[in-house]
Amino acid sequence: MLNKVIVFPTDTVYGIGASIYDKKSISKIYEIKGRDFNKPIAVLCSSIKQMEEFAVVTDDAKKIGEAFWPGGLTLILKTNEKYFNFSGEKTIGVRIPNHKLALNLISEYGPLKTTSINKSGEEPLNDYEIIKNVYGNVIDDIYENNEKISRISSTVIDLTNNLNIIRLGDITIEMINEVLKK
């Protein structure tokens, strides 16, 4: 388990992350970003199986995930009883990024609560040198990117009560509906 805050590239943005089970480091992420503590942070995973540690993964979630992961899709799911008892969170956003380094870190450290590395309300920051200069003294590790970042935010779908599109990215509602018809 990771007991620190790290910054690493994903397929969409540079993220700041910590173990899903490390409340102290997650709190530090909120402080660094100036983020409202009531605004949830999504979790990056390396597999659907890993998501089942903390979320209720329905058949629709599996179908959609298998079609579009790894990639720019975030699903909001209900948390399972064990994770709810630990965190008090009833729902959680989950995603499998399409980035080799990110997947390696997640495989090594477990699911990571991750959000973009920028102050809340500002544009995502994707320049390694700037990130190092701004956050180097408050972050435990910063990983350099060697792959392309798309800069297009993920499509966010809430599956906790039917299917509700929260934000559109590259994955459209038509694409989702086509997968669910199969």
Side-chain angles (χ1 to χ4, degrees):
M1 183 163 98
L2 179 69
N3 286 311
K4 55 186 175 179
V5 176
I6 62 174
V7 172
F8 59 98
T10 74
D11 50 339
T12 56
V13 295
Y14 259 89
I16 180 171
S19 169
I20 188 173
Y21 305 109
D22 183 355
K23 290 181 181 181
K24 183 178 176 184
S25 293
I26 292 168
S27 181
K28 186 175 176 182
I29 291 172
Y30 278 93
E31 291 168 17
I32 289 168
K33 283 187 57 87
R35 187 179 178 104
D36 181 344
F37 280 92
N38 293 319
K39 189 174 179 185
I41 295 176
V43 177
L44 296 184
C45 297
S46 60
S47 68
I48 292 174
K49 182 172 175 36
Q50 193 179 60
M51 283 177 201
E52 293 172 341
E53 292 178 24
F54 57 87
V56 177
V57 182
T58 63
D59 288 342
D60 282 352
K62 281 182 186 173
K63 276 185 186 177
I64 295 168
E66 287 169 353
F68 299 106
W69 283 327
L73 172 72
T74 301
L75 296 180
I76 299 172
L77 306 173
K78 292 179 181 175
T79 57
N80 62 27
E81 184 178 2
K82 180 181 172 191
Y83 189 72
F84 172 77
N85 289 337
F86 169 78
S87 69
E89 294 177 57
K90 293 180 181 179
T91 63
I92 197 159
V94 295
R95 185 165 94 81
I96 299 175
N98 190 13
H99 194 284
K100 188 176 177 180
L101 174 60
L103 289 171
N104 287 342
L105 290 169
I106 297 161
S107 292
E108 182 177 347
Y109 296 122
L112 298 175
K113 282 259 189 174
T114 306
T115 184
S116 60
I117 181 63
N118 55 280
K119 294 288 184 187
S120 285
E122 293 180 5
E123 289 293 313
L125 185 54
N126 286 320
D127 184 299
Y128 173 76
E129 291 300 327
I130 294 172
I131 292 168
K132 206 166 73 170
N133 288 335
V134 172
Y135 296 103
N137 63 335
V138 294
I139 301 294
D140 296 299
D141 286 315
I142 301 174
Y143 294 86
E144 191 167 4
N145 185 41
N146 294 316
E147 295 179 41
K148 186 177 184 329
I149 293 178
S150 92
R151 301 182 193 271
I152 297 173
S153 297
S154 64
T155 296
V156 180
I157 300 172
D158 185 340
L159 290 176
T160 60
N161 188 13
N162 296 316
L163 186 147
N164 185 22
I165 303 285
I166 305 296
R167 178 179 70 207
L168 280 175
D170 283 337
I171 299 168
T172 66
I173 187 65
E174 293 80 17
M175 295 164 75
I176 299 293
N177 285 334
E178 189 63 34
V179 167
L180 292 175
K181 284 180 191 174
K182 293 179 183 176

